[in-house]
């Protein structure tokens, strides 16, 4: 399920950024795992690519 939410975040259908009110948030039960996937794969909390 975390992978599904990850895909939704990188397609800007969901977000892990609690300050972003324009997109539905990832449920809190999955947020930590999705945030980890985003970070390890080089994305920010809104699903945009980050140059590291």
């Amino acid at each position: 399920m975390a992978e599904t939410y990850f895909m939704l975040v990188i397609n800007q259908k969901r977000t892990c950024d609690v300050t972003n009110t324009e997109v539905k948030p990832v449920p809190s039960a999955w947020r930590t795992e999705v945030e980890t996937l985003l970070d390890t794969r080089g994305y920010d909390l809104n699903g945009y690519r980050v140059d590291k």
Side-chain angles (χ1 to χ4, degrees):
M1 196 67 190
E3 189 69 33
T4 300
Y5 282 120
F6 168 79
M7 294 303 295
L8 288 170
V9 172
I10 65 170
N11 288 298
Q12 284 76 45
K13 303 295 182 192
R14 293 282 182 139
T15 186
C16 286
D17 183 354
V18 294
T19 63
N20 184 347
T21 58
E22 296 179 23
V23 183
K24 289 179 74 171
V26 170
S28 59
W30 293 101
R31 191 168 298 135
T32 303
E33 194 170 343
V34 174
E35 286 176 3
T36 301
L37 288 173
L38 290 165
D39 184 53
T40 58
R41 296 179 186 179
Y43 292 91
D44 69 8
L45 297 177
N46 289 303
Y48 295 107
R49 205 73 174 130
V50 177
D51 292 326
K52 288 188 174 188

